[in-house]
Amino acid sequence: MIAYSRRRERDRRDVFQQWAMQHGWTVVPAPNVDWGSRLPGRNRRGVSLALFGAVGGYRVSVAEYSYTETHTSTSGDGMGGTTTTTSSHSHPYVVIVVHLDEPHPAISVQPRTAVSRIGQVLFGDAGPVTGDQNFDKHYRVAGDPVAVGQLVGPALRAEHLAGTVPLWALHQTELMTYQPGRIDSPYQIPNLAAPLIRAAALLRVKDQRKL
């Protein structure tokens, strides 16, 4: 079973490599990136595979990331002793990064969940920073208010409300989003990257240049 899984994974990566060669992309196993520190599970070594290339004139990276969650439980064994059971569950994600030309302050768009609304009532909140009541009702933009005002304009807010762009985080030159799952086929990559590229195009970044 293990040998079969390894062969299947090797065959899958061969398909990625062939696609990359045909489309001018690069495949890098276990790339030296720090994305894991900004993803669920905070697994710094969790990026197992990344593809680097261009979509729609933007430099793009699409990667596979995972972290493992371990649970340990203890119960009686019926004979006066205890039994300890440990189980592990892997959480896989697809990570998409659009690389901008210039670094920017860290900001992110997050859903304004019921939990965050309760926290606002109990502990206070700086309040909406966009001034768009409909947007601020559904989303919270974390980061420097000046940067938020400069980068997150009406067009981008409208796309969020329409559900056509994903939640994202901007760190230096990296605009990032992620979703559960794996890259089933490299032919998915343009469609995986398209919504984040749309967000990148709508960021009000001065002198933003395409390739």
Side-chain angles (χ1 to χ4, degrees):
M1 184 64 179
I2 294 176
Y4 171 76
S5 296
R6 288 177 176 173
R7 183 169 63 252
R8 185 176 179 180
E9 179 62 18
R10 185 170 59 249
D11 291 344
R12 190 178 76 102
R13 294 199 179 192
D14 285 344
V15 172
F16 285 175
Q17 188 66 55
Q18 293 172 9
W19 180 90
M21 292 177 63
Q22 293 171 357
H23 294 83
W25 281 57
T26 303
V27 180
V28 180
N32 183 23
V33 294
D34 66 352
W35 302 334
S37 62
R38 288 173 269 146
L39 293 167
R42 301 293 190 269
N43 184 3
R44 292 180 177 273
R45 298 182 179 180
V47 179
S48 58
L49 177 75
L51 295 92
F52 300 89
V55 178
Y58 288 89
R59 292 175 290 125
V60 174
S61 303
V62 179
E64 292 188 332
Y65 164 85
S66 66
Y67 75 95
T68 300
E69 197 171 28
T70 302
H71 297 280
T72 301
S73 60
T74 302
S75 60
D77 61 6
M79 296 180 291
T82 59
T83 299
T84 300
T85 303
T86 301
S87 61
S88 298
H89 181 65
S90 179
H91 300 271
Y93 292 89
V94 176
V95 181
I96 302 102
V97 180
V98 172
H99 301 272
L100 305 180
D101 295 316
E102 302 291 340
H104 301 281
I107 62 173
S108 64
V109 175
Q110 306 165 0
R112 192 175 287 278
T113 62
V115 173
S116 68
R117 287 194 292 269
I118 291 171
Q120 179 179 351
V121 172
L122 292 177
F123 307 110
D125 191 294
V129 295
T130 70
D132 183 330
Q133 293 184 358
N134 194 22
F135 177 86
D136 292 326
K137 178 181 178 182
H138 295 91
Y139 296 98
R140 174 176 179 268
V141 185
D144 176 74
V146 174
V148 170
Q150 291 175 342
L151 296 174
V152 184
L156 181 53
R157 297 197 300 268
E159 295 279 347
H160 273 291
L161 290 170
T164 53
V165 296
L167 302 174
W168 50 264
L170 175 59
H171 178 77
Q172 297 291 323
T173 60
E174 296 176 340
L175 184 68
M176 176 189 292
T177 191
Y178 61 88
Q179 62 189 51
R182 302 180 74 197
I183 308 170
D184 295 325
S185 165
Y187 294 95
Q188 291 179 294
I189 287 176
N191 289 335
L192 286 171
L196 188 61
I197 289 173
R198 178 63 178 164
L202 292 173
L203 279 172
R204 298 194 302 193
V205 178
K206 292 183 179 180
D207 300 322
Q208 172 65 23
R209 299 184 302 276
K210 294 186 178 183
L211 292 175

